Amino acid sequence: VPNRPRLNHRAAVAATSREVARLAGVSQPTVSRALNQSPGVSAATRQRVLEAAQALGYVPNEGGRSLVTRRSHRVGVVAAQLGNPFYPALVEPMHRTLRVGGYRTILFTDGDDSPLDIENLLDGSLDGVIITTSQLTSRVPFELHQRGVPYVLVNRTVEETPGGDSCVADNYLGGGLVAAMFVELGHTRIGAIFGPQNTSTGRDRESGFRDELSELGVPLRRHFLVRGPFSYETGYHGIVQLFQAENMPTAIFCANDAIALGALNAAHVLGIQVPQELTIVGFDDVPMAGWPIFNLTTVGTDLTGMAEVGAKLLMERIKDPQLLPRLVVIEPTLVRRGSHSPPKIQG
Amino acid sequence: VPNRPRLNHRAAVAATSREVARLAGVSQPTVSRALNQSPGVSAATRQRVLEAAQALGYVPNEGGRSLVTRRSHRVGVVAAQLGNPFYPALVEPMHRTLRVGGYRTILFTDGDDSPLDIENLLDGSLDGVIITTSQLTSRVPFELHQRGVPYVLVNRTVEETPGGDSCVADNYLGGGLVAAMFVELGHTRIGAIFGPQNTSTGRDRESGFRDELSELGVPLRRHFLVRGPFSYETGYHGIVQLFQAENMPTAIFCANDAIALGALNAAHVLGIQVPQELTIVGFDDVPMAGWPIFNLTTVGTDLTGMAEVGAKLLMERIKDPQLLPRLVVIEPTLVRRGSHSPPKIQG
DNA sequence: CTGAAAGCGCTTACAG
DNA sequence: CTGAAAGCGCTTACAG
């Protein structure tokens, strides 16, 4: 007798609807109908099919199903480094909302080091896409539209967004709120650590801040300015750089909370008292901003709400791709915590 | 003349290989062969096909392809709340490694509020699964094995892991390292905020800590103990609770960094000086632990390395499902930063 | 080197 | 109410 491979050495394989059908003594399409609650299946048949499916541990193959239904129940979410607390704060409620709506989240990252490969979004495996990161000149929305993939921009706008929705905070207004508070507190030596100018958030927060400051007649000095990516490191090195000069600002606007957290840490290292010696204000109000150790004054944009709205916009658009483009703007609010104060009286 | 819908009002549709074939003047299978670098396609034909594909913006439909190849190039990663800094630190390098290997990451969350639905992992849409969260008694590995889905456990062990790999830190040893340091520093009033006992990390870190302490003859007092989920809140409330009593510990072991960060924040609020009045030590060495403001002494487990190894184990197993189960254990190291010191001399 | 055929696992008209 | 047929978009033997 020749050796036969033992059964348990074979890789287990998934049962198909055909095998369920054989076990239940029905045809394969009947299995499909019974399991999908289709009308016109006798209770007895459905019962037998359910039992057979149960016995075989049957789970319908999503590939086969989506090929014919043209629905994958998967949504792509494009984010940047998850290490930036902004993204978990946004992706998590998005993921939750999508799941409740019956969609799974496929995470794509779009970093400076490894840019997003658009083809990954176009292979028919996604019912829609949420983009939370993209440069103003990105062609991704255009490509998605061309291929008929519903999409929504969250926290970003792009020059050309044909046939897609967006959900953003009024970043221009938010920047202005910070400027107004700085002036109200009596600051005159005002600096900023701005974000990238090729993103809508970077650009709008900056111009809102600048415009309001100039409106109020307070200058923003050139040598109190730093610019960099939306990251902890930008804030950290920004402070180090600004405080190497002899002339130093008393208030700094950070274009997002990641930058502000880096700034707070640098201030800690340099022995700069916040807020007594230096006011630091961020933008986004990520959960960490509320931690007592940071107690960061920041501009809140209801990230959870923004994520939920974004997810809902997308699910609606998936249901009805003909919807006209919609734009939801979230009103930012100043969250006054403990990292701001009037400037110290100077000698 | 009746109204005809305008073309640009029709939803754009993805081009198929058949349309590429027609445009290139070849048969549909030839398109497949040309685009997949299959041998035996003339250079001229390949060229024509590539041009036609380009012109139509053709991207092969992944559903159709994976149905026949039985490869989806997708890997499921099961994580808990991304708000816990541990998960981004783990998921990000995993995602990167998988992408380099040609796999996309599908993120699944498994929270206490909404537990993972195993069926989502079994519908044939995943080439493999990485599990970073699961209770000791979880049946997920067993189910995956039964359905022939390759899987790897990262940072977790489970009682029964047939046919899967795991990559974990030596949590027992790590717990012991902390105990030894506490004793070496001269602490006698030692407390801990432990994690869940139904997880391997919670259990092993606890028993390693306890065993080493008892080995060294230093008691771990019952009323210096708190237990809870691996979260910021557990640490925060743990400290608040421990410092309500008149008798207080001088050193506290936190079962992970999220707990330790919560503890540091509570100490800040209560005006407890760290490390002068209280030593706090964490576990994991997430990036934030190194931030100057926290400067957390912790047990490092090379999260990036663990993630990368986990991803590689899985990709190897996908290639060869017959591989015998492998276990990679990562040696933990004490990362001595600034949140520990000898106890203050007590009156 | 290329085309005609078969089939992956489903769902959905179409008959009966 | 249920089965036989067709087909979603691909890849892969099989002929030629």
Side-chain angles (χ1 to χ4, degrees), chain B residues 77-205:
Chain B
V77 171
V78 182
Q81 349 68 285
L82 289 176
N84 178 339
F86 174 78
Y87 287 101
L90 201 66
V91 169
E92 186 140 286
M94 222 171 242
H95 180 58
R96 209 181 316 126
T97 308
L98 289 169
R99 178 158 64 155
V100 170
Y103 293 92
R104 299 191 213 168
T105 297
I106 310 207
L107 187 65
F108 294 84
T109 52
D110 182 16
D112 295 332
D113 45 336
S114 58
L116 174 71
D117 182 357
I118 303 186
E119 298 223 339
N120 291 337
L121 304 177
L122 303 176
D123 65 7
S125 64
L126 301 175
D127 289 348
V129 174
I130 298 180
I131 304 172
T132 71
T133 164
S134 64
Q135 305 190 346
L136 279 161
T137 54
S138 171
R139 278 184 57 77
V140 176
F142 183 78
E143 302 265 3
L144 289 170
H145 180 241
Q146 269 216 327
R147 297 273 302 189
V149 180
Y151 71 90
V152 170
L153 258 49
V154 170
N155 193 48
R156 283 286 189 282
T157 57
V158 169
E159 280 168 4
E160 231 186 332
T161 57
D165 306 304
S166 20
C167 177
V168 291
D170 189 335
N171 289 297
Y172 183 88
L173 188 77
L177 290 176
V178 178
M181 183 182 72
F182 281 2
V183 172
E184 170 202 320
L185 288 170
H187 288 281
T188 53
R189 288 155 55 195
I190 294 176
I193 306 179
F194 288 133
Q197 271 183 314
N198 60 0
T199 64
S200 63
T201 41
R203 182 197 58 185
D204 295 349
R205 291 171 188 183

Side-chain angles (χ1 to χ4, degrees), chain B residues 318-340:
Chain B
I318 289 171
K319 281 212 185 68
D320 180 7
Q322 305 298 338
L323 284 173
L324 292 176
R326 292 162 298 169
L327 170 64
V328 176
V329 177
I330 290 183
E331 188 88 348
T333 56
L334 204 49
V335 181
R336 293 171 178 262
R337 294 204 184 89
S339 64
H340 69 280

Side-chain angles (χ1 to χ4, degrees), chain B residues 59-78:
Chain B
V59 180
N61 179 294
E62 185 65 26
R65 161 179 283 170
S66 68
L67 202 55
V68 36
T69 61
R70 303 178 156 292
R71 286 262 183 266
S72 67
H73 302 106
R74 279 151 178 75
V75 162
V77 171
V78 182

Side-chain angles (χ1 to χ4, degrees), chain B residues 27 29-30 33 40 42 45 67-68 70:
Chain B
S27 73
T30 294
R33 284 186 283 247
S42 77
T45 303
L67 202 55
V68 36
R70 303 178 156 292

Side-chain angles (χ1 to χ4, degrees), chain A residues 27 29-30 33 40 42 45 67-68 70:
Chain A
S27 72
T30 294
R33 284 186 282 249
S42 79
T45 303
L67 203 54
V68 36
R70 302 179 158 290

Side-chain angles (χ1 to χ4, degrees), chain A residues 290-314:
Chain A
W291 288 9
I293 285 187
F294 297 119
N295 204 18
L296 179 69
T297 296
T298 187
V299 179
T301 56
D302 187 14
L303 291 183
T304 303
M306 185 150 67
E308 289 169 355
V309 168
K312 279 176 191 156
L313 286 173
L314 184 65

